[in-house]
């Protein structure tokens, strides 16, 4: 705005000079000034196309894009895909949500939790994970010391308040919730609750995503029971997992959700289970990684990579211990 004002003053001053030196050019100069003034009136809008801001030009939900990404890039997660799609679409289409969207993603490492959070981001924010309105916290990096927990609480509150003030459609991703100090996440409870606003700031358009390995054992046990009973993996539904998962996480002393008010007050909208991956899913991950690297998918190499992964339980060897997490490095060995 300061630049706009200075430029306008210079233009008007040039009109005065032209009028004093060459009166016949005054009409032309005034016309130019009027035209440039009109441009400057739109100058702020023009800037929106070159510099990220909290507007639809930069923040716009691509429903079909997310749906396609989940179908083509996420393997073995029919429950998570369905829940994520419905939850995100319903929330963003709601012009007057009663609270922020709060998703808690649970499952063993390598099952796709981080990947899915990135897909959500990429289909809402034009700049993806580099957007100024997407904020990611990693427990071991940003909140390492238990002795500093009071400082972390105050800083986290100020960070969320400040960023939502700048852009109501901000997203906050908390990774490694299973390593977060118990009680810390409760500091943001007011921002996730059913309030019109807090101190003049509304948090209802914001999105909070929590990622955790906690609950992975419970999920695996339930899915393994289905497998042992001869039932298809696709028969597993959210109702088979969500209640047991939320209770397991709430009572887990090693989790940042231990006895948290976020669960006690039902502020988490969905506990999204990520199922342990099987051989076929690891194979698909390998093929997808080749495609992402713009290589011709090689089924034989994909099968080799999948075969070399470690599987559990010891007797049945049904699920990949690391999911698809080390696929990239294993492909480097073969390609």
């Amino acid at each position: 705005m300061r630049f706009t004002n200075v430029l306008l003053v210079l233009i008007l001053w040039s009109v005065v000079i032209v009028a004093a030196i060459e009166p016949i050019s005054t009409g032309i100069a005034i016309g130019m000034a009027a035209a440039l003034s009109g441009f400057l009136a739109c100058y702020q809008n023009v800037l929106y196309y070159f510099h990220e801001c909290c507007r639809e030009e930069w923040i716009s939900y691509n429903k079909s894009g997310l749906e396609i990404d989940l179908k083509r890039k996420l393997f073995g997660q029919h429950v998570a895909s369905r829940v994520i799609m419905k939850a995100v679409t319903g929330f963003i289409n709601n012009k007057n949500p009663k609270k922020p969207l709060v998703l808690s993603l649970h499952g063993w490492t390598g099952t796709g939790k981080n990947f899915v959070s990135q897909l959500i981001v990429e289909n809402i924010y034009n700049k993806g994970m580099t957007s100024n309105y997407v904020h990611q916290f990693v427990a071991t990096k940003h909140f390492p010391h238990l002795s500093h927990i009071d400082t972390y609480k105050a800083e986290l509150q100020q960070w969320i308040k400040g960023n939502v003030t700048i852009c109501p459609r901000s997203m906050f991703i908390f990774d490694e919730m299973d390593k977060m100090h118990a009680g810390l996440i409760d500091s943001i409870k007011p921002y996730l609750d059913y309030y019109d606003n807090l101190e003049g700031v509304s948090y209802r358009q914001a999105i909070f995503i929590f990622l955790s390995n906690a609950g992975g054992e419970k999920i695996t046990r339930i899915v393994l029971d289905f497998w042992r009973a001869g039932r298809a993996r696709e028969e597993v539904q959210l109702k088979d997992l969500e209640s047991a998962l939320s209770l397991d996480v709430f009572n887990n002393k090693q989790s940042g959700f231990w006895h948290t008010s976020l669960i006690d007050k039902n502020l988490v909208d969905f506990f999204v289970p990520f199922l342990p991956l099987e051989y076929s899913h690891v194979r698909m991950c390998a093929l997808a990684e080749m495609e992402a690297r713009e290589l011709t998918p090689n089924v034989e190499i994909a099968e080799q990579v999948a075969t070399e992964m470690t599987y559990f339980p010891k007797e049945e060897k049904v699920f990949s211990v690391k999911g698809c997490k080390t696929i990239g490095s294993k492909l480097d060995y073969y390609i």
Side-chain angles (χ1 to χ4, degrees), residues 234-253:
E234 288 68 27
E235 289 185 52
V236 179
Q237 300 299 318
L238 182 64
K239 60 185 176 69
D240 299 315
L241 295 159
E242 190 172 34
S243 295
L245 178 58
S246 62
L247 185 62
D248 184 72
V249 173
F250 183 76
N251 290 318
N252 185 347
K253 290 185 177 182

Side-chain angles (χ1 to χ4, degrees), residues 170-195:
S170 291
M171 183 181 293
F172 302 91
I173 302 172
F174 293 84
D175 198 0
E176 298 185 344
M177 281 298 298
D178 48 304
K179 297 180 177 65
M180 183 175 284
H181 303 301
L184 174 56
I185 204 63
D186 280 335
S187 65
I188 69 169
K189 182 260 182 188
Y191 307 135
L192 276 58
D193 215 328
Y194 293 82
Y195 295 117

Side-chain angles (χ1 to χ4, degrees), residues 203-256:
Y203 297 86
R204 293 183 169 193
Q205 298 290 328
I207 299 174
F208 293 82
I209 300 179
F210 301 107
L211 311 177
S212 177
N213 290 346
E217 186 175 343
K218 172 66 71 173
I219 295 169
T220 298
R221 192 179 306 127
I222 292 173
V223 178
L224 187 59
D225 286 344
F226 269 72
W227 184 84
R228 285 171 173 166
R231 301 176 64 182
R233 179 189 183 91
E234 288 68 27
E235 289 185 52
V236 179
Q237 300 299 318
L238 182 64
K239 60 185 176 69
D240 299 315
L241 295 159
E242 190 172 34
S243 295
L245 178 58
S246 62
L247 185 62
D248 184 72
V249 173
F250 183 76
N251 290 318
N252 185 347
K253 290 185 177 182
Q254 305 304 316
S255 169

Side-chain angles (χ1 to χ4, degrees), residues 7 122 171 198 218 280 287:
L7 190 54
E122 290 169 0
M171 183 181 293
L198 293 171
K218 172 66 71 173
S280 61
L287 291 170

Side-chain angles (χ1 to χ4, degrees), residues 40-221:
L40 291 173
C42 300
Y43 177 76
Q44 189 174 1
N45 287 333
V46 171
L47 271 183
Y48 291 146
Y49 292 95
F50 299 97
H51 180 72
E52 187 187 25
C53 54
C54 190
R55 288 169 56 103
E56 289 186 1
E57 290 89 347
W58 293 93
I59 303 175
S60 180
Y61 178 48
N62 184 356
K63 177 185 175 183
S64 60
L66 179 59
E67 188 171 21
I68 291 171
D69 281 346
L70 290 173
K71 285 182 178 180
R72 293 181 179 178
K73 300 178 181 180
L74 184 68
F75 308 112
Q77 303 300 351
H78 66 283
V79 177
S81 293
R82 190 177 303 123
V83 175
I84 293 293
M85 196 68 219
K86 289 185 176 181
V88 173
T89 301
F91 176 73
I92 292 183
N93 287 344
N94 186 350
K95 302 302 181 183
N96 186 32
K98 301 301 180 183
K99 62 181 290 297
L101 175 63
V102 183
L103 302 175
S104 191
L105 281 47
H106 297 266
W108 288 130
T109 184
T111 52
K113 302 184 298 298
N114 269 291
F115 184 58
V116 163
S117 66
Q118 291 175 19
L119 293 181
I120 296 172
V121 169
E122 290 169 0
N123 284 286
I124 297 177
Y125 301 88
N126 283 8
K127 295 189 69 174
M129 292 299 293
T130 64
S131 171
N132 291 322
Y133 310 119
V134 176
H135 313 282
Q136 187 170 30
F137 301 93
V138 180
T140 52
K141 177 182 178 182
H142 295 99
F143 317 112
H145 307 296
L146 179 59
S147 58
H148 296 168
I149 190 168
D150 290 334
T151 301
Y152 296 150
K153 287 181 179 180
E155 290 177 345
L156 190 54
Q157 289 175 337
Q158 290 302 313
W159 181 259
I160 292 176
K161 179 181 179 181
N163 282 287
V164 174
T165 300
I166 294 171
C167 185
R169 183 69 83 193
S170 291
M171 183 181 293
F172 302 91
I173 302 172
F174 293 84
D175 198 0
E176 298 185 344
M177 281 298 298
D178 48 304
K179 297 180 177 65
M180 183 175 284
H181 303 301
L184 174 56
I185 204 63
D186 280 335
S187 65
I188 69 169
K189 182 260 182 188
Y191 307 135
L192 276 58
D193 215 328
Y194 293 82
Y195 295 117
D196 288 333
N197 65 76
L198 293 171
E199 299 178 342
V201 180
S202 174
Y203 297 86
R204 293 183 169 193
Q205 298 290 328
I207 299 174
F208 293 82
I209 300 179
F210 301 107
L211 311 177
S212 177
N213 290 346
E217 186 175 343
K218 172 66 71 173
I219 295 169
T220 298
R221 192 179 306 127

